[in-house]
Amino acid sequence: DLDASLGLDEEVKVTKRRKPISKLDEARLLSAPGIPKLRADARSGKFSKKLRLKGKGHEFSDVARLLNYYQLWLDNLYPRAKFADGLQLIEKVGHSRRMQVMRKEWIDEGKPGYVRD
Amino acid sequence: FSKAQTVHPEVRAYVYSLVNALGGSSTDDDGHYVLGDDALACLRDLKRWLKLYDEKNNRLDVARCLAEAKLVGGDLVPILASWPEDGKENKLKARVALACLEVLVPLTWPLETTGEMTLNHHRHTPYIQQAQVIYKAAILGCDTSSILRQVVRIGLPSIAVARDERTSRDEGILKLLLYFFRNIAVIQQVPNLPSQGLDSEVSRSATIEAFRDQDVFALLLTICSNMGEDFNLQDVIVLDIIFNLIKGVDPKRLWMTQQQRKSQGITDLGAALAVEESKNRATKKHQWSRHGRFGTMLWVKRDGEKMSAVSGQDNLKGDQQALFNMDKSKKWSKPQQKRRDIDHTIHDFDHTTHLTDPASEKLRNFVDEFLDSGFNPFFTHLRKAIEREAERLLDVNYRQFFYAVAWFLEAERIRRETQKKEVKPDKVRDDFTDESYSIVAAVLNQETFIMLNRFMQVSLDNKEWQDLNACMRCFTQVLLTVQEMVQSPLEEDQEIADNIQNRIFYEETTHDRVVEILRGYKDQGFGYLDACTELAHVFLRMLERYSKENVDMQIRSRRRAKKKRKEEMRMAAQPGDDPTADDEDSENEDIADVVQVSKERKFDFNRFAAKFSTQNSVNTFVSLTTFYRDLSIEQLKRAHRFFYRVAFKQDLAVLLYRIDIIALFNKMINGPDGLDKRHAMYKEWSEFARQVFKKMFKKIDQRPELIVEMLFSKINSTLYYLEYGQEKQTIAAS
């Protein structure tokens, strides 16, 4: 009985855990290839040049380029999801309290006369 | 599977022997049906079996046996058919006919696959539903006699009696008669069960034609126009019948002439072919020009020295296609929430039903006569019953009421339109055009509005979406009718219309409710989506016009008054009051009471329109727009006007700067699977999309933060800054 109470004879069951599926959550969205990348691109000042936007009169082709940019960005960040699905996932993440605060912060940073606390 | 297991063998033996004893076709009398010696008693026994075995024990065994024994087609229909037209005084025959009807009604009673069902129900319901289709086909398709007319004949003696002198038996017969017609109107091929090849025999068109040809419509009209006088308790059943006849029918098609309908058919076909052709063209554009194993492979260069490989010749066409294929090749899709299947109940009205030409003609005749004579008495009577919450009303009847009112109001408007078009050239029936709107006045009074508002609020609170759907349609039609009345040449009509508008727009709660419904859309189905966007569109447009014409328009707002009152109460409850303030307090309270009742303020349309321009209402219209390939011109116009208002009148285009919305607009215009370039709304939409894109790029240049914000729905606190580049100036109370 001593063996039993010490649990010596019992076989240790090893249950194989499924590999967790990576999620498109806050952490991933805030990691380097996520929003920081977007912000870096946006603040570099060469955004439209980088995308080779043609400007006035070429709205439709420019929008296609913009959408392609987002698609590649999303594919890089979270290759699992299709573009439309990924957008929905991100939009949902944006509802969380933390994200809302951060979004507000990002916008405030762009305002003239902003001083970091 | 053997028959013996489904039903207790003894029950089956009893029922079969009764059916056999009922009678049969004779060999020597040209195969005519001959009644058994004790036919009447047999019928009564069958009725008893249905009642005391099936109903009492909550089983469907007897009904199942009777279906298998083919009682309706083999016995009841021939018996009713053999009741000679001149045999009125043949008492026995008349009693047998009534006994037949008494068995027919429970057998044809609609079975719903919802609510509590026992094992027996699950076992028998599909079979009986199929059998009911056969019953209906047998009843409508009897070639020796008109069964429906025979049934009307059963009721005639009871109808002829004045209302006060009717016995309860007479009332019972009337009820039986109407329930029978209701059942006939309801029965249809159940979508989830295999077809038995009887679809056209039991279709809506066949029902309508039979109702017209066999005088059922005449009976219904008589009852409707004498509602409240000779008839009292029958209103709900008649409503049920009418609802089941008109649900899903497009009133517009009824008033088309044969020629128009034909050309409409051709344009419909043309439109369908055009859609198909444009699809074909799109596929051809991306079709491979070589065989499937030609094996093209290329890579897409990306940021940071990365590559993605894609295969297929169509990728050579351009980046767009390559990126599209990259996306398409992904295997995982976000799990979609499945919507409950609410559409297969008999109370659903969102499915369009097409009628054949003769059936349209016949239904139009009925609707014509109904509008002229039956509409007012019928709906007034029903409204009063609803107000009283009469016992005979079921929950679905409320929905049916509002749907029917909406449908007939629309029918009336279309009828007027057609008449105007018809009369104008010859100017012969000039007096006819000036007919007043009093023939639909019964639903354009304050009582109905109060009821409509209340029911709308209740169904919104209880999340009864299908009820709310019916209410919204009704409200929309009321608004449209009033709008027509304003333009009526009769001064009286204009005055009334003005009054009605005043009443509708006076209550701020109504405004708020319309906004709330629009914002609250989530997965309630397309019919609901269509109804709520239409209501919002019509309401907003009419309110805009009305408030422009009446610059000093006042509205009653309740909330503020309450707040004020609370404040006063708090003030009054503060400790340290001197006793002399008591008088003053009660006086204050009186004033507060007055304030609460009549707190009015000037209506500001812009403020109201701003309430419409929120992310949620944009989302609702976006979900409507995603169906763009299947939307009508009118629906596309509705969505266009809304977005246009948001982006360019309210200056809130920021709400549209979300990638999925932008992608949707882009897809609509540039495909793949976009709007057809020859579509009537294509030009307006493409111009709109271009303007939005232009504005968006300008904004991105000004405020790079938008690049991130494009991923999300906007937060209220940053919305104003993103649009105007500055904080909102709030008026300080200093």
Side-chain angles (χ1 to χ4, degrees):
Chain A
D1 277 351
L2 194 71
D3 283 357
S5 66
L6 288 173
L8 290 178
D9 274 357
E10 275 177 40
E11 253 180 75
V12 180
K13 270 190 185 165
V14 182
T15 45
K16 257 197 176 170
R17 278 263 175 130
R18 264 178 72 165
K19 205 176 150 197
I21 298 165
S22 59
K23 292 222 160 57
L24 184 51
D25 49 9
E26 278 177 19
R28 185 171 277 257
L29 199 55
L30 294 174
S31 67
I35 285 179
K37 162 95 169 74
L38 278 187
R39 294 193 70 215
D41 282 354
R43 303 177 86 186
S44 66
K46 289 180 222 147
F47 186 73
S48 57
K49 208 171 175 188
K50 193 184 161 205
L51 259 60
R52 280 178 282 159
L53 300 183
K54 287 186 183 163
K56 219 176 157 191
H58 297 89
E59 283 82 9
F60 288 119
S61 59
D62 281 359
V63 158
R65 287 207 179 80
L66 186 72
L67 291 173
N68 289 347
Y69 166 76
Y70 278 110
Q71 189 186 327
L72 289 176
W73 168 78
L74 193 60
D75 182 64
N76 193 32
L77 176 69
Y78 191 68
R80 183 180 161 79
K82 291 180 181 128
F83 186 41
D85 292 343
L87 289 179
Q88 277 185 26
L89 293 173
I90 292 180
E91 208 279 325
K92 208 171 173 195
V93 173
H95 289 295
S96 76
R97 189 79 221 131
R98 182 173 163 221
M99 282 303 288
Q100 302 231 345
V101 172
M102 300 206 58
R103 281 166 59 194
K104 182 135 198 331
E105 174 93 10
W106 292 328
I107 289 176
D108 285 343
E109 276 177 36
K111 286 180 187 170
Y114 170 81
V115 185
R116 191 179 282 272
D117 302 331
Chain B
F1 178 82
S2 73
K3 275 184 174 181
Q5 279 168 350
T6 51
V7 173
H8 196 281
E10 219 165 311
V11 174
R12 184 183 297 280
Y14 271 116
V15 172
Y16 273 23
S17 67
L18 279 173
V19 174
N20 284 335
L22 195 56
S25 40
S26 81
T27 42
D28 39 65
D29 202 8
D30 287 346
H32 277 295
Y33 193 91
V34 176
L35 277 182
D37 288 338
D38 253 339
L40 193 57
C42 286
L43 283 168
R44 288 196 178 139
D45 270 355
L46 283 175
K47 199 180 95 186
R48 240 171 258 150
W49 266 101
L50 279 169
K51 196 163 192 145
L52 298 179
Y53 190 82
D54 266 10
E55 247 177 71
K56 211 172 164 197
N57 303 331
N58 199 15
R59 309 167 78 99
L60 291 169
D61 291 351
V62 180
R64 168 88 185 233
C65 288
L66 291 178
E68 280 167 5
K70 301 192 168 38
L71 172 77
V72 175
D75 296 284
L76 299 186
V77 168
I79 293 173
L80 281 172
S82 67
W83 184 22
E85 295 276 342
D86 53 348
K88 218 181 282 172
E89 52 293 337
N90 189 343
K91 264 246 170 95
L92 176 73
K93 282 270 187 184
R95 278 163 73 187
V96 169
L98 179 60
C100 282
L101 183 62
E102 278 177 310
V103 178
L104 268 176
V105 170
L107 284 182
T108 51
W109 201 269
L111 290 172
E112 283 265 44
T113 46
T114 47
E116 275 182 41
M117 287 171 75
T118 62
L119 184 68
N120 255 6
H121 283 106
H122 283 292
R123 190 182 282 154
H124 297 322
T125 301
Y127 187 88
I128 294 176
Q129 279 176 330
Q130 293 282 64
Q132 284 182 341
V133 173
I134 299 173
Y135 295 167
K136 182 173 175 178
I139 289 165
L140 296 184
C142 177
D143 46 7
T144 52
S145 167
S146 318
I147 301 301
L148 298 182
R149 186 178 285 134
Q150 301 284 49
V151 172
V152 174
R153 266 178 67 202
I154 297 173
L156 283 182
S158 309
I159 296 171
V161 181
R163 189 174 124 198
D164 324 325
E165 287 157 30
R166 265 181 224 149
T167 58
S168 57
R169 183 173 174 274
D170 285 329
E171 293 283 347
I173 291 174
L174 264 180
K175 227 172 164 180
L176 212 57
L177 189 76
L178 290 171
Y179 272 128
F180 177 68
F181 295 135
R182 196 278 311 261
N183 295 349
I184 293 298
V186 168
I187 293 173
Q188 56 173 0
Q189 179 63 46
V190 179
N192 295 334
L193 296 178
S195 166
Q196 307 172 91
L198 294 169
D199 300 59
S200 67
E201 277 91 337
V202 300
S203 67
R204 188 76 63 77
S205 302
T207 315
I208 287 169
E209 286 198 49
F211 271 32
R212 180 79 198 180
D213 297 340
Q214 304 185 28
D215 302 329
V216 180
F217 275 155
L219 175 73
L220 291 180
L221 283 170
T222 314
I223 294 179
C224 289
S225 51
N226 288 309
M227 193 56 77
E229 291 163 23
D230 278 341
F231 301 95
N232 187 15
L233 302 174
Q234 289 78 16
D235 49 357
V236 176
I237 317 176
V238 173
L239 175 70
D240 210 346
I241 297 173
I242 290 179
F243 171 79
N244 278 299
L245 288 175
I246 61 172
K247 65 178 178 187
V249 174
D250 183 8
K252 263 184 220 99
R253 294 188 83 91
L254 296 188
W255 268 271
M256 286 178 186
T257 58
Q258 197 120 31
Q259 197 59 44
Q260 278 172 318
R261 222 174 276 140
K262 222 176 191 174
S263 63
Q264 178 69 30
I266 291 170
T267 32
D268 281 355
L269 180 64
L273 285 175
V275 168
E276 199 178 302
E277 200 204 344
S278 81
K279 268 185 198 163
N280 276 345
R281 243 182 295 130
T283 21
K284 258 186 204 149
K285 222 163 126 190
H286 301 296
Q287 226 163 27
W288 293 3
S289 53
R290 303 251 177 190
H291 59 82
R293 296 181 161 197
F294 198 67
T296 316
M297 176 104 169
L298 50 135
W299 64 65
V300 178
K301 254 191 184 171
R302 306 172 52 167
D303 260 8
E305 310 301 311
K306 271 205 207 168
M307 308 274 200
S308 298
V310 269
S311 62
Q313 305 148 37
D314 53 339
N315 294 312
L316 291 167
K317 288 233 159 71
D319 319 349
Q320 216 51 49
Q321 190 61 30
L323 279 158
F324 179 72
N325 281 343
M326 265 169 71
D327 201 46
K328 215 170 83 176
S329 64
K330 294 192 179 181
K331 293 229 172 62
W332 182 76
S333 316
K334 189 170 170 274
Q336 299 290 324
Q337 212 176 17
K338 252 197 184 164
R339 206 164 56 81
R340 264 182 318 130
D341 188 10
I342 52 170
D343 300 340
H344 282 326
T345 68
I346 55 170
H347 307 300
D348 172 53
F349 46 75
D350 279 332
H351 284 275
T352 322
T353 309
H354 285 292
L355 297 182
T356 59
D357 282 353
S360 301
E361 202 91 343
K362 282 167 179 166
L363 184 61
R364 189 185 70 207
N365 279 335
F366 170 70
V367 175
D368 252 336
E369 286 170 43
F370 179 80
L371 283 169
D372 286 338
S373 65
F375 186 92
N376 278 336
F378 180 61
F379 282 117
T380 311
H381 197 259
L382 264 173
R383 194 204 72 225
K384 283 180 185 156
I386 290 175
E387 272 168 10
R388 260 187 285 117
E389 294 181 352
E391 251 178 63
R392 57 182 184 277
L393 285 160
L394 299 173
D395 285 345
V396 286
N397 295 133
Y398 295 86
R399 180 193 303 177
Q400 289 173 341
F401 174 80
F402 290 113
Y403 180 79
V405 169
W407 196 90
F408 281 107
L409 280 179
E410 193 180 355
E412 170 63 12
R413 274 193 306 114
I414 290 160
R415 183 166 77 142
R416 274 167 194 278
E417 247 169 61
T418 10
Q419 275 170 0
K420 248 188 230 163
K421 271 183 215 151
E422 261 173 22
V423 172
K424 255 181 189 162
D426 53 8
K427 296 211 172 195
V428 182
R429 296 149 74 200
D430 219 8
D431 52 328
F432 203 64
T433 44
D434 287 357
E435 205 177 345
S436 96
Y437 278 83
S438 58
I439 57 166
V440 290
V443 295
L444 297 176
N445 50 25
Q446 187 66 357
E447 288 90 342
T448 313
F449 296 150
I450 292 172
M451 196 172 89
L452 178 61
N453 275 327
R454 203 186 54 204
F455 192 62
M456 218 153 138
Q457 188 64 48
V458 168
S459 36
L460 178 64
D461 292 343
N462 294 343
K463 300 191 184 349
E464 291 288 346
W465 304 123
Q466 205 57 2
D467 287 350
L468 185 58
N469 188 347
C471 289
M472 290 191 292
R473 284 162 189 262
C474 184
F475 194 33
T476 311
Q477 291 306 326
V478 166
L479 287 172
L480 289 172
T481 307
V482 170
Q483 192 181 17
E484 296 282 307
M485 276 172 82
V486 173
Q487 288 152 8
S488 155
L490 293 184
E491 224 168 85
E492 200 181 317
D493 275 346
Q494 290 172 19
E495 229 168 79
I496 294 171
D498 214 45
N499 249 326
I500 294 174
Q501 284 189 321
N502 210 352
R503 280 193 215 132
I504 289 176
F505 295 135
Y506 180 59
E507 296 284 349
E508 198 188 24
T509 44
T510 313
H511 304 208
D512 292 343
R513 195 180 308 121
V514 173
V515 176
E516 194 189 335
I517 291 172
L518 182 70
R519 285 189 201 164
Y521 168 78
K522 192 182 180 299
D523 284 342
Q524 282 103 337
F526 182 78
Y528 180 90
L529 178 62
D530 185 33
C532 78
T533 48
E534 186 179 14
L535 173 62
H537 175 74
V538 171
F539 190 83
L540 194 64
R541 276 190 44 211
M542 285 187 61
L543 184 59
E544 183 173 26
R545 186 187 303 166
Y546 187 74
S547 63
K548 257 182 204 159
E549 282 165 10
N550 303 275
V551 186
D552 296 323
M553 186 182 153
Q554 302 282 319
I555 56 165
R556 170 156 74 188
S557 84
R558 280 238 170 89
R559 225 170 352 183
R560 297 203 154 187
K562 263 186 198 157
K563 210 170 166 191
K564 201 167 190 179
R565 190 174 182 199
K566 247 187 218 160
E567 228 165 70
E568 269 170 51
M569 295 275 272
R570 211 192 53 222
M571 296 257 281
Q574 260 171 8
D577 273 351
D578 50 346
T580 51
D582 225 38
D583 264 1
E584 212 177 305
D585 273 353
S586 65
E587 208 172 323
N588 272 348
E589 229 161 85
D590 282 349
I591 293 169
D593 272 341
V594 173
V595 165
Q596 191 179 19
V597 183
S598 64
K599 170 75 182 175
E600 286 187 345
R601 58 183 172 76
K602 208 169 155 248
F603 179 72
D604 180 2
F605 180 77
N606 285 330
R607 247 190 68 184
F608 177 69
K611 279 191 206 166
F612 264 86
S613 314
T614 60
Q615 193 74 63
N616 281 340
S617 22
V618 167
N619 289 349
T620 307
F621 269 95
V622 167
S623 14
L624 179 75
T625 315
T626 45
F627 296 103
Y628 62 90
R629 285 211 98 158
D630 305 315
L631 293 186
S632 67
I633 291 176
E634 190 257 331
Q635 287 163 325
L636 276 173
K637 211 180 251 174
R638 187 191 305 161
H640 177 267
R641 297 290 184 274
F642 174 81
F643 288 128
Y644 186 85
R645 186 186 289 277
V646 168
F648 300 109
K649 284 192 184 164
Q650 299 284 324
D651 280 335
L652 279 169
V654 175
L655 291 176
L656 304 181
Y657 303 157
R658 211 174 63 195
I659 306 168
D660 56 333
I661 300 177
I662 296 295
L664 173 68
F665 288 165
N666 185 45
K667 190 178 163 196
M668 260 175 102
I669 306 303
N670 297 326
D673 303 328
L675 269 185
D676 189 12
K677 285 213 165 50
R678 281 166 293 178
H679 193 283
M681 287 300 292
Y682 178 84
K683 229 177 155 188
E684 276 181 64
W685 268 99
S686 91
E687 184 54 26
F688 167 74
R690 209 175 57 79
Q691 299 283 1
V692 169
F693 296 161
K694 200 169 148 192
K695 235 180 156 181
M696 178 182 74
F697 282 117
K698 228 175 174 178
K699 265 288 113 85
I700 290 179
D701 275 347
Q702 287 167 2
R703 267 180 282 293
E705 304 88 57
L706 205 58
I707 300 280
V708 174
E709 274 302 290
M710 294 259 293
L711 293 171
F712 306 106
S713 294
K714 310 293 173 286
I715 329 173
N716 275 333
S717 55
T718 56
L719 197 62
Y720 193 87
Y721 170 76
L722 284 174
E723 182 65 43
Y724 297 104
Q726 60 191 33
E727 289 303 318
K728 198 171 191 170
Q729 296 291 317
T730 43
I731 304 155
S734 58

